[in-house]
Amino acid sequence: MEGFMTRKLPVLDLVREAWVLAFQAVHPTLLIMLALLIAGGLYTFAVGPGSALGDAAPAIAALVVFVVGVEFSLVTYRTMLGTPHGDRLRLAHANLAVYVAFLFVGVFIGFFLLTLPGILLKASGRTDLDADTPPAVVQQALVDMLPSAYGAVLIVACLAGALALCYLAIRLLLIGSATISTRQTMVFRTWGWTKGHVISLWLAALATHVAPFAGAVLINWGLHGLWGQSGVGAFLSGFIGMLLLVPFLLAGHGLAVAVLRRLQPEQAPAG
């Protein structure tokens, strides 16, 4: 991976700038942020009690989250970049392209990781397992296998798959900010901009992506029992869950802008 081989970006400066940009963007994005929280609540309602409204309800709710999310990113990037420019359709196109890329890579990694445990269980001598074996028995067999060399192979494979997805995410960090800045749909055209900076970007992302996301997940998990099974409870679960993700979203956008300012080629037109 060529991204591990060259000079580093100033990690602490990137983290500091990202969080400063995040705090500065709070007020200008309040309205669209509220819309995003409502969209998150509608989605959890649609996949829960609202599913009784029809099979299309979750898909429609997911589409609403995507559209509002693109608008949130547009307003956030415009604020952070200090520009009135930016095309929401180009930004949506760039986001969809990245989703497809992750889906394509994820399917291959997921297929491999789903088949590997069965292969390793057979190789370890568990010939008593077949398609009719209860899931609980298979899970216990996997747990028993983990301390062995076969379990180590499975753990290494899972870590390698996770690292591959993280590497892809880091290399494509700039697609949104670059799309707004250049007013062009930027996906893999930013790949070369992040070349040689994977370690620095990953270290910065620990403070702007990983930590706030992990904190949001832990808090939300601790609160999930408060909402109950009603429609209002489902809506509140999504609303609060999205609210907890706001620091992650703003700091993530902030890091993308902070890095763009340092890595965007001079010949690429700014917004």
Side-chain angles (χ1 to χ4, degrees):
M1 293 183 181
E2 70 277 7
F4 290 95
M5 303 303 294
T6 58
R7 66 180 180 83
K8 297 180 180 179
L9 289 167
V11 175
L12 293 180
D13 288 346
L14 288 175
V15 171
R16 186 182 305 110
E17 186 175 338
W19 281 106
V20 168
L21 288 169
F23 282 111
Q24 291 175 345
V26 170
H27 184 264
T29 61
L30 277 178
L31 186 60
I32 189 61
M33 190 187 301
L34 177 60
L36 185 61
L37 302 185
I38 294 173
L42 291 175
Y43 177 77
T44 53
F45 171 79
V47 299
S51 60
L53 298 175
D55 295 338
I60 294 173
L63 179 61
V64 171
V65 172
F66 174 77
V67 172
V68 177
V70 168
E71 191 68 22
F72 173 82
S73 288
L74 178 67
V75 175
T76 302
Y77 280 133
R78 282 176 173 174
T79 299
M80 292 180 173
L81 290 167
T83 176
H85 303 293
D87 189 329
R88 57 180 52 84
L89 290 180
R90 291 186 185 276
L91 186 58
H93 179 196
N95 286 340
L96 284 173
V98 170
Y99 296 159
V100 171
F102 270 94
L103 178 63
F104 181 79
V105 175
V107 164
F108 280 94
I109 293 176
F111 177 78
F112 174 72
L113 293 179
L114 284 173
T115 57
L116 183 61
I119 296 172
L120 292 174
L121 284 171
K122 289 291 184 182
S124 67
R126 292 300 301 262
T127 56
D128 56 324
L129 300 177
D130 54 36
D132 297 324
T133 303
V137 175
V138 176
Q139 291 176 2
Q140 186 58 50
L142 284 172
V143 171
D144 294 340
M145 184 185 70
L146 287 180
S148 69
Y150 298 100
V153 171
L154 179 60
I155 292 171
V156 169
C158 291
L159 289 175
L163 285 174
L165 292 176
C166 289
Y167 179 79
L168 182 62
I170 288 294
R171 294 301 303 273
L172 297 178
L173 175 68
L174 302 180
I175 61 118
S177 56
T179 294
I180 300 303
S181 177
T182 63
R183 287 175 262 175
Q184 303 177 50
T185 302
M186 305 289 285
V187 184
F188 286 101
R189 283 189 285 177
T190 66
W191 185 268
W193 299 5
T194 56
K195 179 180 179 180
H197 302 291
V198 169
I199 291 180
S200 297
L201 294 179
W202 171 244
L203 291 174
L206 288 175
T208 60
H209 289 69
V210 178
F213 182 81
V217 170
L218 288 174
I219 295 173
N220 200 34
W221 180 80
L223 295 175
H224 77 281
L226 297 178
W227 314 122
Q229 302 299 317
S230 67
V232 173
F235 176 85
L236 286 176
S237 175
F239 185 96
I240 300 300
M242 190 65 74
L243 177 62
L244 292 171
L245 286 174
V246 166
F248 158 76
L249 295 173
L250 290 177
H253 285 67
L255 181 63
V257 171
V259 174
L260 181 74
R261 290 172 174 173
R262 291 166 171 81
L263 297 184
Q264 183 177 13
E266 292 183 2
Q267 65 270 24

